[in-house]
Amino acid sequence: MNAMTTPGQSHSAYFLDDAPKTTERHTLSVLVDNEPGVLARVIGLFSGRGYNIDSLTVSETEHEKHLSRITIVTTGTPMVITQIKNQLDRMVPVHRVIDLTVSGPALERELALIKVRGTGEMRVEALRLAEAFNARVMDATTESFIFEITGKGDKIDQFVTIMVPLGLVEVSRTGVAAIRRGPERT
């Protein structure tokens, strides 16, 4: 350190971006050709660059045109999100990439199947809470229930948390399905 450098300060170019980086959650809608290997290439883009996928759903949405929609929820700095969108847009089987987080109001939903084991008061309480959360009983035995619940991820997280002390056995979630509101095509 020289006389002109104060403690904690550096004049190296390697330290120019020491500001804390904020991460953002984004939901991307990616319209792709429905053909073998496309999903693997999209996932490879994420894994090869160390990007994380928080949620992933895929389904054919336009049968006649052989197109599928991949809905990806990811987190990253604004720069990383921009890189992801640009790299997805350059992929050959990709027709369109829409960032539903910034393109206007969007509707996001998730479905979960939740198995809860319980008898007596625990069973009655699980049923009461399921009704409060608008969860439907899809299967019931004398010892367990399977509930179906749809909604935003935080609603499902809350329901799962409440079911833990009542005998939660397992959870299966679909991942986020999302679509832009209004008359425009996503």
CSV table of all heavy atoms in Angstrom, one decimal, residues 73-94:
chain,number,residue,atom,x,y,z
A,73,VAL,N,-37.9,-20.4,-14.2
A,73,VAL,CA,-37.7,-19.4,-13.2
A,73,VAL,C,-36.2,-19.5,-12.8
A,73,VAL,O,-35.7,-20.5,-12.4
A,73,VAL,CB,-38.6,-19.6,-12.0
A,73,VAL,CG1,-38.4,-18.6,-10.9
A,73,VAL,CG2,-40.1,-19.6,-12.4
A,74,THR,N,-35.5,-18.3,-12.8
A,74,THR,CA,-34.1,-18.3,-12.5
A,74,THR,C,-33.8,-17.0,-11.7
A,74,THR,O,-34.6,-16.1,-11.6
A,74,THR,CB,-33.3,-18.3,-13.7
A,74,THR,OG1,-31.9,-18.5,-13.4
A,74,THR,CG2,-33.4,-17.1,-14.6
A,75,THR,N,-32.7,-17.0,-11.0
A,75,THR,CA,-32.3,-15.9,-10.2
A,75,THR,C,-30.9,-15.5,-10.7
A,75,THR,O,-30.1,-16.3,-11.1
A,75,THR,CB,-32.3,-16.1,-8.7
A,75,THR,OG1,-31.5,-17.3,-8.4
A,75,THR,CG2,-33.7,-16.3,-8.2
A,76,GLY,N,-30.6,-14.2,-10.6
A,76,GLY,CA,-29.3,-13.7,-11.0
A,76,GLY,C,-29.2,-12.2,-10.9
A,76,GLY,O,-30.2,-11.6,-10.7
A,77,THR,N,-28.0,-11.7,-11.1
A,77,THR,CA,-27.9,-10.2,-11.2
A,77,THR,C,-28.5,-9.8,-12.5
A,77,THR,O,-28.7,-10.6,-13.4
A,77,THR,CB,-26.4,-9.8,-11.2
A,77,THR,OG1,-25.8,-10.4,-12.3
A,77,THR,CG2,-25.7,-10.3,-9.9
A,78,PRO,N,-28.9,-8.5,-12.6
A,78,PRO,CA,-29.4,-8.0,-13.8
A,78,PRO,C,-28.6,-8.3,-15.0
A,78,PRO,O,-29.1,-8.7,-16.1
A,78,PRO,CB,-29.6,-6.5,-13.6
A,78,PRO,CG,-29.7,-6.4,-12.1
A,78,PRO,CD,-28.9,-7.4,-11.5
A,79,MET,N,-27.3,-8.3,-14.9
A,79,MET,CA,-26.4,-8.6,-16.0
A,79,MET,C,-26.5,-10.1,-16.4
A,79,MET,O,-26.5,-10.4,-17.6
A,79,MET,CB,-24.9,-8.3,-15.6
A,79,MET,CG,-23.9,-8.5,-16.8
A,79,MET,SD,-22.2,-8.1,-16.3
A,79,MET,CE,-21.8,-9.6,-15.5
A,80,VAL,N,-26.6,-10.9,-15.4
A,80,VAL,CA,-26.7,-12.4,-15.7
A,80,VAL,C,-28.0,-12.7,-16.3
A,80,VAL,O,-28.1,-13.4,-17.3
A,80,VAL,CB,-26.5,-13.2,-14.4
A,80,VAL,CG1,-27.0,-14.7,-14.6
A,80,VAL,CG2,-25.1,-13.2,-13.9
A,81,ILE,N,-29.1,-12.1,-15.9
A,81,ILE,CA,-30.4,-12.3,-16.5
A,81,ILE,C,-30.4,-11.8,-18.0
A,81,ILE,O,-30.9,-12.5,-18.8
A,81,ILE,CB,-31.5,-11.5,-15.7
A,81,ILE,CG1,-31.6,-12.1,-14.3
A,81,ILE,CG2,-32.9,-11.6,-16.4
A,81,ILE,CD1,-32.0,-13.5,-14.1
A,82,THR,N,-29.8,-10.7,-18.2
A,82,THR,CA,-29.6,-10.2,-19.6
A,82,THR,C,-28.8,-11.2,-20.5
A,82,THR,O,-29.2,-11.5,-21.6
A,82,THR,CB,-29.0,-8.8,-19.6
A,82,THR,OG1,-29.8,-7.9,-18.9
A,82,THR,CG2,-28.8,-8.3,-21.1
A,83,GLN,N,-27.7,-11.7,-19.9
A,83,GLN,CA,-26.9,-12.7,-20.6
A,83,GLN,C,-27.7,-14.0,-20.9
A,83,GLN,O,-27.7,-14.5,-22.0
A,83,GLN,CB,-25.7,-13.1,-19.8
A,83,GLN,CG,-24.6,-12.1,-19.7
A,83,GLN,CD,-23.5,-12.6,-18.8
A,83,GLN,OE1,-23.6,-13.4,-18.0
A,83,GLN,NE2,-22.3,-11.9,-19.0
A,84,ILE,N,-28.5,-14.5,-20.0
A,84,ILE,CA,-29.3,-15.7,-20.1
A,84,ILE,C,-30.3,-15.4,-21.3
A,84,ILE,O,-30.4,-16.3,-22.2
A,84,ILE,CB,-30.1,-16.0,-18.9
A,84,ILE,CG1,-29.1,-16.6,-17.8
A,84,ILE,CG2,-31.2,-17.1,-19.1
A,84,ILE,CD1,-29.7,-16.7,-16.4
A,85,LYS,N,-31.0,-14.3,-21.3
A,85,LYS,CA,-32.0,-14.0,-22.3
A,85,LYS,C,-31.3,-13.9,-23.7
A,85,LYS,O,-31.8,-14.5,-24.7
A,85,LYS,CB,-32.8,-12.7,-22.0
A,85,LYS,CG,-33.7,-12.9,-20.8
A,85,LYS,CD,-34.6,-11.7,-20.6
A,85,LYS,CE,-33.8,-10.4,-20.2
A,85,LYS,NZ,-34.7,-9.3,-19.8
A,86,ASN,N,-30.2,-13.2,-23.8
A,86,ASN,CA,-29.5,-13.1,-25.0
A,86,ASN,C,-29.0,-14.4,-25.6
A,86,ASN,O,-29.1,-14.7,-26.8
A,86,ASN,CB,-28.3,-12.1,-24.9
A,86,ASN,CG,-28.8,-10.7,-24.7
A,86,ASN,OD1,-29.9,-10.3,-25.1
A,86,ASN,ND2,-28.0,-9.8,-24.2
A,87,GLN,N,-28.5,-15.3,-24.7
A,87,GLN,CA,-28.0,-16.6,-25.1
A,87,GLN,C,-29.1,-17.5,-25.5
A,87,GLN,O,-29.0,-18.2,-26.5
A,87,GLN,CB,-27.1,-17.2,-24.0
A,87,GLN,CG,-25.8,-16.4,-23.9
A,87,GLN,CD,-25.0,-16.8,-22.6
A,87,GLN,OE1,-25.5,-17.5,-21.8
A,87,GLN,NE2,-23.8,-16.2,-22.4
A,88,LEU,N,-30.2,-17.4,-24.8
A,88,LEU,CA,-31.4,-18.2,-25.2
A,88,LEU,C,-31.9,-17.8,-26.6
A,88,LEU,O,-32.2,-18.6,-27.4
A,88,LEU,CB,-32.5,-18.1,-24.2
A,88,LEU,CG,-32.4,-18.9,-22.9
A,88,LEU,CD1,-33.4,-18.5,-21.9
A,88,LEU,CD2,-32.5,-20.4,-23.2
A,89,ASP,N,-31.9,-16.5,-26.8
A,89,ASP,CA,-32.5,-15.9,-28.0
A,89,ASP,C,-31.6,-16.3,-29.3
A,89,ASP,O,-32.1,-16.4,-30.4
A,89,ASP,CB,-32.5,-14.4,-27.9
A,89,ASP,CG,-33.8,-13.8,-28.3
A,89,ASP,OD1,-34.7,-14.6,-28.7
A,89,ASP,OD2,-34.0,-12.6,-28.2
A,90,ARG,N,-30.3,-16.6,-29.0
A,90,ARG,CA,-29.4,-17.0,-30.1
A,90,ARG,C,-29.5,-18.5,-30.5
A,90,ARG,O,-28.9,-18.9,-31.5
A,90,ARG,CB,-28.0,-16.6,-29.8
A,90,ARG,CG,-27.8,-15.1,-29.9
A,90,ARG,CD,-26.3,-14.8,-29.9
A,90,ARG,NE,-25.6,-15.2,-28.7
A,90,ARG,CZ,-25.4,-14.4,-27.7
A,90,ARG,NH1,-25.8,-13.1,-27.7
A,90,ARG,NH2,-24.7,-14.8,-26.6
A,91,MET,N,-30.1,-19.2,-29.6
A,91,MET,CA,-30.2,-20.7,-29.9
A,91,MET,C,-31.1,-21.0,-31.1
A,91,MET,O,-32.2,-20.3,-31.2
A,91,MET,CB,-30.7,-21.4,-28.7
A,91,MET,CG,-29.7,-21.4,-27.5
A,91,MET,SD,-30.3,-22.3,-26.1
A,91,MET,CE,-30.0,-23.9,-26.6
A,92,VAL,N,-30.7,-21.9,-32.0
A,92,VAL,CA,-31.4,-22.1,-33.2
A,92,VAL,C,-32.9,-22.6,-33.0
A,92,VAL,O,-33.8,-22.1,-33.7
A,92,VAL,CB,-30.7,-23.2,-34.1
A,92,VAL,CG1,-31.5,-23.6,-35.3
A,92,VAL,CG2,-29.3,-22.5,-34.5
A,93,PRO,N,-33.2,-23.5,-32.1
A,93,PRO,CA,-34.6,-24.0,-32.0
A,93,PRO,C,-35.5,-23.0,-31.3
A,93,PRO,O,-36.7,-23.3,-31.1
A,93,PRO,CB,-34.5,-25.3,-31.3
A,93,PRO,CG,-33.3,-25.2,-30.5
A,93,PRO,CD,-32.3,-24.3,-31.2
A,94,VAL,N,-35.0,-21.9,-30.8
A,94,VAL,CA,-35.7,-20.9,-30.0
A,94,VAL,C,-36.4,-19.9,-30.9
A,94,VAL,O,-35.7,-19.3,-31.7
A,94,VAL,CB,-34.8,-20.2,-28.9
A,94,VAL,CG1,-35.6,-19.1,-28.2
A,94,VAL,CG2,-34.3,-21.2,-27.9
